[in-house]
Amino acid sequence: MKAAYLQNSQIHVGEVPDPIPAKGQALVRTHSCGLCASDAHFVHLGAKVVEISRQYGGPYSNLDLSQIIVPGHEYVGEILDYGPGSRRPLKVGAKVTSQPVMRHAGGHSVIGQSHDCPGGFGEYMLLDENTLMEVPSDLDDDLAAMTEPLAVGLEHARSGEPTRDDVPLVIGCGAIGLGVIAGLKLMDMGPIIAADFDENRRNIAIRMGADVVIDPRELSPYGPIHGLGNRRATLIYECVGKPGLLNQIMNSVGFGARIVIGGFCLEPEPLYVPSGQMRRLKIFFAAGEEQQDLDLALRSIVDGKVDIKSWLGGRIGLSGVAAALDAMSSAAAPVRTVVDPRRM
């Protein structure tokens, strides 16, 4: 099959072996796949990701970065076949997405971040038949591919255990932060504050449901907000993943605040513990989505409760993947660029 694949810290485009489904696996033809910041992490910091996984335990311990990895875990596709002896829960031809996890004896692999489970930057994928989710045939492929990134934000939103008394603050309006805002809005929480340096991202945050948006260069998002009757944030979602940001939050928030860490920071973050103790802070570490989050994300996209169209900034073929991943760190980059692996 044709694919954009990672090998030796570079993205290449070419032919790779077609995946062959085993029992319990569906063979799926990819229609659309979103580019995620974690894909860029694997290109630029893959060795560190593998090292951390080996040191602390994780699904990337057995990766060999000199071997082919086909990335892409935000996907939608069409079932072509199943492996022998499979349950075949959905019909061949059904449009599907899924949690990007392949379960097997003794553990699991992350689809798009393993050698055995190529992701959506290739023409074909293997998906776990037990996690397949049927997508309405008339739902736009690019919108359907946003199910997984939206689900991550929904999981992060509920991880903070928000209450009606909270004033949530979302730091960073990339896909995770925007998904958190959408999740809080679905739970009817608010008022919601969002902070980002980029004006376009702040505008999208308003579309997702933010009540107040702040440029941190002009106003601290942690202090009393005049437009909210001088109330200040009580529940802070860190969705950036930059070293030093957690310390900044801890030293700036008020007594009893709660902090959810959603950003993926690969650098050590030293903390001054008394700063948290004196303020009686609580810190939650958010992880990937669960099935309940994927179900809610897909329903919300289908019924229009979350209008995800503003996330989409372009559709590219395989030859554009490397440049798009390099451009992701730019403030001008769209929230999501979508890959069509059927195009070169």
mmCIF file of all heavy atoms in Angstrom, residues 220-239:
data_model
loop_
_atom_site.group_PDB
_atom_site.id
_atom_site.type_symbol
_atom_site.label_atom_id
_atom_site.label_comp_id
_atom_site.label_asym_id
_atom_site.label_seq_id
_atom_site.Cartn_x
_atom_site.Cartn_y
_atom_site.Cartn_z
ATOM 1 N N SER A 220 -3.453 38.768 32.729
ATOM 2 C CA SER A 220 -3.262 37.459 33.351
ATOM 3 C C SER A 220 -4.600 36.728 33.414
ATOM 4 O O SER A 220 -5.593 37.279 33.914
ATOM 5 C CB SER A 220 -2.697 37.599 34.761
ATOM 6 O OG SER A 220 -2.746 36.337 35.431
ATOM 7 N N PRO A 221 -4.647 35.490 32.941
ATOM 8 C CA PRO A 221 -5.919 34.749 33.007
ATOM 9 C C PRO A 221 -6.206 34.189 34.394
ATOM 10 O O PRO A 221 -7.290 33.638 34.613
ATOM 11 C CB PRO A 221 -5.703 33.619 32.000
ATOM 12 C CG PRO A 221 -4.229 33.386 31.999
ATOM 13 C CD PRO A 221 -3.598 34.730 32.236
ATOM 14 N N TYR A 222 -5.250 34.320 35.317
ATOM 15 C CA TYR A 222 -5.396 33.685 36.631
ATOM 16 C C TYR A 222 -6.021 34.604 37.685
ATOM 17 O O TYR A 222 -6.518 34.133 38.703
ATOM 18 C CB TYR A 222 -4.033 33.213 37.138
ATOM 19 C CG TYR A 222 -3.275 32.383 36.142
ATOM 20 C CD1 TYR A 222 -2.130 32.874 35.526
ATOM 21 C CD2 TYR A 222 -3.714 31.109 35.801
ATOM 22 C CE1 TYR A 222 -1.428 32.109 34.598
ATOM 23 C CE2 TYR A 222 -3.027 30.343 34.876
ATOM 24 C CZ TYR A 222 -1.889 30.855 34.272
ATOM 25 O OH TYR A 222 -1.209 30.098 33.346
ATOM 26 N N GLY A 223 -5.980 35.901 37.449
ATOM 27 C CA GLY A 223 -6.491 36.841 38.440
ATOM 28 C C GLY A 223 -7.965 37.107 38.280
ATOM 29 O O GLY A 223 -8.648 36.506 37.432
ATOM 30 N N PRO A 224 -8.505 38.032 39.081
ATOM 31 C CA PRO A 224 -9.928 38.400 38.952
ATOM 32 C C PRO A 224 -10.226 38.947 37.557
ATOM 33 O O PRO A 224 -9.462 39.749 37.016
ATOM 34 C CB PRO A 224 -10.110 39.471 40.027
ATOM 35 C CG PRO A 224 -8.995 39.225 41.004
ATOM 36 C CD PRO A 224 -7.843 38.732 40.188
ATOM 37 N N ILE A 225 -11.336 38.516 36.966
ATOM 38 C CA ILE A 225 -11.722 38.927 35.622
ATOM 39 C C ILE A 225 -12.871 39.927 35.736
ATOM 40 O O ILE A 225 -13.956 39.590 36.249
ATOM 41 C CB ILE A 225 -12.162 37.716 34.763
ATOM 42 C CG1 ILE A 225 -11.052 36.650 34.737
ATOM 43 C CG2 ILE A 225 -12.522 38.171 33.354
ATOM 44 C CD1 ILE A 225 -9.754 37.099 34.119
ATOM 45 N N HIS A 226 -12.631 41.134 35.249
ATOM 46 C CA HIS A 226 -13.616 42.210 35.400
ATOM 47 C C HIS A 226 -14.965 41.830 34.792
ATOM 48 O O HIS A 226 -16.024 42.076 35.386
ATOM 49 C CB HIS A 226 -13.085 43.487 34.744
ATOM 50 C CG HIS A 226 -14.051 44.636 34.803
ATOM 51 N ND1 HIS A 226 -14.364 45.277 35.992
ATOM 52 C CD2 HIS A 226 -14.782 45.249 33.822
ATOM 53 C CE1 HIS A 226 -15.239 46.230 35.744
ATOM 54 N NE2 HIS A 226 -15.516 46.234 34.441
ATOM 55 N N GLY A 227 -14.947 41.204 33.609
ATOM 56 C CA GLY A 227 -16.191 40.855 32.934
ATOM 57 C C GLY A 227 -16.978 39.760 33.622
ATOM 58 O O GLY A 227 -18.121 39.480 33.241
ATOM 59 N N LEU A 228 -16.373 39.125 34.630
ATOM 60 C CA LEU A 228 -17.054 38.054 35.377
ATOM 61 C C LEU A 228 -17.312 38.464 36.815
ATOM 62 O O LEU A 228 -17.362 37.622 37.718
ATOM 63 C CB LEU A 228 -16.210 36.771 35.339
ATOM 64 C CG LEU A 228 -15.922 36.181 33.964
ATOM 65 C CD1 LEU A 228 -15.063 34.934 34.095
ATOM 66 C CD2 LEU A 228 -17.224 35.863 33.227
ATOM 67 N N GLY A 229 -17.469 39.773 37.035
ATOM 68 C CA GLY A 229 -17.702 40.245 38.392
ATOM 69 C C GLY A 229 -16.510 40.027 39.300
ATOM 70 O O GLY A 229 -16.669 39.792 40.496
ATOM 71 N N ASN A 230 -15.308 40.103 38.715
ATOM 72 C CA ASN A 230 -14.040 39.909 39.436
ATOM 73 C C ASN A 230 -13.880 38.505 40.007
ATOM 74 O O ASN A 230 -13.072 38.290 40.924
ATOM 75 C CB ASN A 230 -13.865 40.957 40.544
ATOM 76 C CG ASN A 230 -13.535 42.322 39.975
ATOM 77 O OD1 ASN A 230 -12.873 42.429 38.941
ATOM 78 N ND2 ASN A 230 -14.000 43.364 40.640
ATOM 79 N N ARG A 231 -14.646 37.560 39.465
ATOM 80 C CA ARG A 231 -14.396 36.164 39.826
ATOM 81 C C ARG A 231 -13.107 35.713 39.157
ATOM 82 O O ARG A 231 -12.678 36.256 38.140
ATOM 83 C CB ARG A 231 -15.561 35.283 39.375
ATOM 84 C CG ARG A 231 -16.885 35.614 40.049
ATOM 85 C CD ARG A 231 -18.021 34.841 39.419
ATOM 86 N NE ARG A 231 -17.959 33.415 39.744
ATOM 87 C CZ ARG A 231 -18.734 32.494 39.182
ATOM 88 N NH1 ARG A 231 -19.601 32.840 38.239
ATOM 89 N NH2 ARG A 231 -18.641 31.231 39.528
ATOM 90 N N ARG A 232 -12.475 34.684 39.713
ATOM 91 C CA ARG A 232 -11.244 34.162 39.128
ATOM 92 C C ARG A 232 -11.375 32.660 38.918
ATOM 93 O O ARG A 232 -12.236 32.002 39.521
ATOM 94 C CB ARG A 232 -10.026 34.479 40.002
ATOM 95 C CG ARG A 232 -10.060 33.862 41.379
ATOM 96 C CD ARG A 232 -8.957 34.428 42.267
ATOM 97 N NE ARG A 232 -7.625 34.162 41.734
ATOM 98 C CZ ARG A 232 -6.502 34.643 42.278
ATOM 99 N NH1 ARG A 232 -6.581 35.432 43.372
ATOM 100 N NH2 ARG A 232 -5.332 34.360 41.760
ATOM 101 N N ALA A 233 -10.538 32.139 38.072
ATOM 102 C CA ALA A 233 -10.614 30.721 37.714
ATOM 103 C C ALA A 233 -10.370 29.840 38.929
ATOM 104 O O ALA A 233 -9.466 30.084 39.732
ATOM 105 C CB ALA A 233 -9.598 30.411 36.625
ATOM 106 N N THR A 234 -11.181 28.781 39.023
ATOM 107 C CA THR A 234 -11.029 27.807 40.111
ATOM 108 C C THR A 234 -10.582 26.441 39.594
ATOM 109 O O THR A 234 -10.115 25.612 40.366
ATOM 110 C CB THR A 234 -12.366 27.626 40.843
ATOM 111 O OG1 THR A 234 -13.367 27.175 39.910
ATOM 112 C CG2 THR A 234 -12.818 28.941 41.466
ATOM 113 N N LEU A 235 -10.770 26.213 38.285
ATOM 114 C CA LEU A 235 -10.440 24.919 37.668
ATOM 115 C C LEU A 235 -9.682 25.210 36.382
ATOM 116 O O LEU A 235 -10.249 25.742 35.426
ATOM 117 C CB LEU A 235 -11.721 24.131 37.377
ATOM 118 C CG LEU A 235 -11.596 22.815 36.605
ATOM 119 C CD1 LEU A 235 -10.647 21.852 37.312
ATOM 120 C CD2 LEU A 235 -12.967 22.181 36.408
ATOM 121 N N ILE A 236 -8.395 24.884 36.378
ATOM 122 C CA ILE A 236 -7.517 25.277 35.275
ATOM 123 C C ILE A 236 -7.111 24.045 34.479
ATOM 124 O O ILE A 236 -6.635 23.052 35.046
ATOM 125 C CB ILE A 236 -6.252 25.996 35.798
ATOM 126 C CG1 ILE A 236 -6.625 27.319 36.460
ATOM 127 C CG2 ILE A 236 -5.265 26.256 34.659
ATOM 128 C CD1 ILE A 236 -7.025 27.217 37.906
ATOM 129 N N TYR A 237 -7.316 24.121 33.161
ATOM 130 C CA TYR A 237 -6.930 23.045 32.254
ATOM 131 C C TYR A 237 -5.683 23.476 31.488
ATOM 132 O O TYR A 237 -5.735 24.409 30.679
ATOM 133 C CB TYR A 237 -8.062 22.740 31.271
ATOM 134 C CG TYR A 237 -9.280 22.121 31.914
ATOM 135 C CD1 TYR A 237 -10.298 22.923 32.430
ATOM 136 C CD2 TYR A 237 -9.427 20.740 32.002
ATOM 137 C CE1 TYR A 237 -11.421 22.360 33.013
ATOM 138 C CE2 TYR A 237 -10.544 20.167 32.589
ATOM 139 C CZ TYR A 237 -11.540 20.982 33.089
ATOM 140 O OH TYR A 237 -12.650 20.413 33.674
ATOM 141 N N GLU A 238 -4.567 22.815 31.755
ATOM 142 C CA GLU A 238 -3.310 23.115 31.067
ATOM 143 C C GLU A 238 -3.259 22.259 29.811
ATOM 144 O O GLU A 238 -3.104 21.036 29.883
ATOM 145 C CB GLU A 238 -2.113 22.822 31.984
ATOM 146 C CG GLU A 238 -0.789 23.310 31.441
ATOM 147 C CD GLU A 238 -0.217 22.373 30.388
ATOM 148 O OE1 GLU A 238 0.161 21.245 30.739
ATOM 149 O OE2 GLU A 238 -0.152 22.788 29.214
ATOM 150 N N CYS A 239 -3.373 22.890 28.645
ATOM 151 C CA CYS A 239 -3.476 22.167 27.374
ATOM 152 C C CYS A 239 -2.389 22.599 26.398
ATOM 153 O O CYS A 239 -2.608 22.640 25.182
ATOM 154 C CB CYS A 239 -4.854 22.390 26.755
ATOM 155 S SG CYS A 239 -6.224 21.877 27.803
#
